[in-house]
Amino acid sequence: MMAATVHRGPYDQVSPAYHAVTSWISENGYEIAGPPRETYLNDPRTVVPEELLTRVEFPVCAATA
């Protein structure tokens, strides 16, 4: 299972997306089960920085009490 979000904007401003996903994970009874992954959904050579899309994913598992 993965918890994920998509960040729109420059790569150097992706931190809030990480915070949003990790907050959702802890608030919904999950634990992080491995390292995060970023997937770049468009090409920075053809898209202005404000329109860049980055998918941020964390593998998760059900929290253990």
Side-chain angles (χ1 to χ4, degrees), residues 42-48:
N42 49 17
D43 186 345
R45 294 173 294 182
T46 61
V47 176
V48 296

Side-chain angles (χ1 to χ4, degrees), residues 8 11 40-53:
R8 178 185 298 267
Y11 296 140
Y40 307 108
L41 303 176
N42 49 17
D43 186 345
R45 294 173 294 182
T46 61
V47 176
V48 296
E50 296 75 28
E51 296 299 319
L52 290 171
L53 299 174

Side-chain angles (χ1 to χ4, degrees), residues 1-47:
M1 273 190 296
M2 301 293 270
T5 191
V6 175
H7 165 72
R8 178 185 298 267
Y11 296 140
D12 64 355
Q13 296 177 9
V14 74
S15 297
Y18 277 85
H19 183 320
V21 175
T22 56
S23 293
W24 184 92
I25 291 167
S26 64
E27 293 167 4
N28 288 278
Y30 293 95
E31 292 179 346
I32 295 172
R37 174 173 58 188
E38 290 184 5
T39 304
Y40 307 108
L41 303 176
N42 49 17
D43 186 345
R45 294 173 294 182
T46 61
V47 176

